[in-house]
Amino acid sequence: MNASEFRRRGKEMVDYMANYMEGIEGRQVYPDVEPGYLRPLIPAAAPQEPDTFEDIINDVEKIIMPGGCCLGRGSNQPIRCVQSLGAGGSLEKGLAPACKPPVPPYLEAASPACTELETVMMDWLGKMLELPKAFLNEKAGEGGGVIQGSASEATLVALLAARTKVIHRLQAASPELTQAAIMEKLVAYSSDQAHSSVERAGLIGGVKLKAIPSDGNFAMRASALQEALERDKAAGLIPFFMVATLGTTTCCSFDNLLEVGPICNKEDIWLHVDAAYAGSAFICPEFRHLLNGVEFADSFNFNPHKWLLVNFDCSAMWVKKRTDLTGAFRLDPTYLKHSHQDSGLITDYRHWQIPLGRRFRSLKMWFVFRMYGVKGLQAYIRKHVQLSHEFESLVRQDPRFEICVEVILGLVCFRLKGSNKVNEALLQRINSAKKIHLVPCHLRDKFVLRFAICSRTVESAHVQRAWEHIKELAADVLRAERE
């Protein structure tokens, strides 16, 4: 969608919302749909080719609106709705979420459409990734998907669920054990290349977190993990949780799931896979092998808002056993109970997450998946990877520079051959010039520059201009160093 079409469609959406508000007196206060009404109304998988905007908007009225009600904050609120505290929205606020009706419910009864579209969209996305069926919602399986706010949140949710699970297991075997006695012995693990949010999850969860040394390719391997487990078990600690990263923030390295996964399963350690950035690429068959070993995971997460054209926030998380989450977070005060909660027919996502309230995030997935189609999304990923290799080739042609790690997806780690000081000076000049902006990292003892292809509209010409700019500034830095 170009700027002209976006402007036209945006005006149509404002008209749609204004008509909705003007006609709100004629809408039902409470939906009369049955649990599970939505899944039969839409395809079982994402379309390969794009749908039209008109078809999608028509489906919003036919499929989504019948499943909305006035109970959620800022949702469908006729004056007759008097059930919920602070549920009044404004016209001004309605302009912000331009492509979705304002329906952020906190339980399934508040908006069946919101809940049911999320279960279907998570299945669509899971199928695009070729996730094992154990992770999908369909066909009454034990697993399922949920949209969290961020990968940080997903890691924390997984850690807290794993902590509750191991405490219950140990107390069932030894009732005399207190929660405090177990907690002080629990230990979690991640690679030394894992995102800082993993360490933060350990801090919030009140458990020890240990970093496993990565190999020469910045990947966690079985031998290092096994050594740490044996050492900690001998010290009386209880290993219970491990985060494997696919596509690290620093250099897009990949922990070896096929090696560490079986160890976690054997040791009864919850394995959480964080693919926040790289996960989007797994919809392309040529990159799907990077996800091999996910069958050993208890939970898997990536961010469509990073590289799949879905606006922030949208972090997709799947679990093999949803009762592991609901067992950790389920609370049922009277004011949140509803008639279908024990029927087994619905999903109450309030038991799958930390917040109570939630937004209608699946609707933006539905729009994007339908307007691009799977083939369009794959083409978008492939174009970015092609451009990153183009930049890599330019760097390799210049003997002053070096590539620091294999380029697999859309990130290129590079530096001037020489000291950290000269590379820090180059980065300072690049970012001060404000023509492009780079974020650095440290790989072992090396200060490294990171060139990430991430814009929806980036073209080869942008890559070429960026490289010419970097070369010019590098020449200035090296000249200054010689002087």
Side-chain angles (χ1 to χ4, degrees), residues 85-318:
L85 293 173
S90 68
L91 288 175
E92 290 79 7
K93 188 183 76 171
L95 291 174
C99 287
K100 57 185 177 182
V103 190
Y106 44 83
L107 51 135
E108 196 274 346
S111 178
C114 177
T115 296
E116 295 190 21
L117 187 64
E118 184 162 335
T119 63
V120 178
M121 288 303 98
M122 292 301 291
D123 279 353
W124 273 23
L125 188 51
K127 291 174 182 177
M128 289 159 65
L129 298 168
E130 297 184 9
L131 285 181
K133 291 183 179 180
F135 286 107
L136 303 184
N137 289 288
E138 65 180 8
K139 297 181 180 177
E142 293 185 79
V146 57
I147 302 173
Q148 305 286 2
S150 66
S152 305
E153 191 176 323
T155 300
L156 176 59
V157 165
L159 182 142
L160 295 177
R163 189 186 72 179
T164 299
K165 185 176 182 179
V166 71
I167 288 173
H168 288 172
R169 186 180 76 234
L170 294 175
Q171 287 183 328
S174 304
E176 73 280 2
L177 287 175
T178 65
Q179 179 171 318
I182 296 172
M183 285 274 293
E184 68 180 10
K185 293 185 176 181
L186 292 181
V187 58
Y189 304 89
S190 70
S191 161
D192 59 9
Q193 299 299 311
H195 193 271
S196 61
S197 61
V198 179
E199 183 178 359
R200 177 173 289 184
L203 291 173
I204 297 172
V207 298
K208 302 177 185 67
L209 179 74
K210 297 194 175 183
I212 304 299
S214 54
D215 68 5
N217 293 317
F218 305 100
M220 177 164 46
R221 304 295 299 274
S223 57
L225 175 62
Q226 192 68 63
E227 181 181 340
L229 292 177
E230 296 303 325
R231 182 172 58 248
D232 288 342
K233 288 192 294 183
L237 298 178
I238 304 171
F240 81 106
F241 183 73
M242 209 272 284
V243 177
T245 305
L246 300 181
T248 58
T249 300
T250 51
C251 64
C252 200
S253 59
F254 290 77
D255 291 337
N256 195 316
L257 281 186
L258 291 173
E259 288 187 4
V260 302
I263 294 175
C264 291
N265 287 184
K266 178 183 176 183
E267 299 287 345
D268 210 2
I269 295 170
W270 182 300
L271 174 58
H272 176 70
V273 176
D274 175 8
Y277 160 70
S280 298
F282 304 154
I283 69 169
C284 298
E286 64 268 32
F287 300 125
R288 176 54 180 79
H289 69 278
L290 297 169
L291 186 56
N292 288 349
V294 71
E295 61 270 18
F296 298 109
D298 296 277
S299 53
F300 168 71
N301 166 252
F302 86 97
N303 291 340
H305 66 234
K306 272 193 166 62
W307 202 14
L308 209 58
L309 293 166
V310 179
N311 290 350
F312 186 87
D313 59 348
C314 183
S315 187
M317 179 185 185
W318 290 266

Side-chain angles (χ1 to χ4, degrees), residues 17-35:
M17 289 187 285
N19 292 337
Y20 173 88
M21 298 302 292
E22 287 179 343
I24 201 167
E25 282 293 320
R27 292 183 180 267
Q28 282 192 187
V29 173
Y30 204 84
D32 58 7
V33 298
E34 293 297 319

Side-chain angles (χ1 to χ4, degrees), residues 400-401 416 422 425-436 466-480:
R400 300 172 298 173
F401 286 87
L416 280 168
V422 73
L426 174 58
L427 179 70
Q428 194 276 329
R429 292 205 181 208
I430 290 171
N431 289 343
S432 294
K434 294 183 171 60
K435 290 186 177 180
I436 61 174
W467 176 240
E468 289 301 318
H469 180 57
I470 292 170
K471 285 198 303 180
E472 291 174 8
L473 295 179
D476 294 341
V477 168
L478 294 173
R479 189 180 306 113

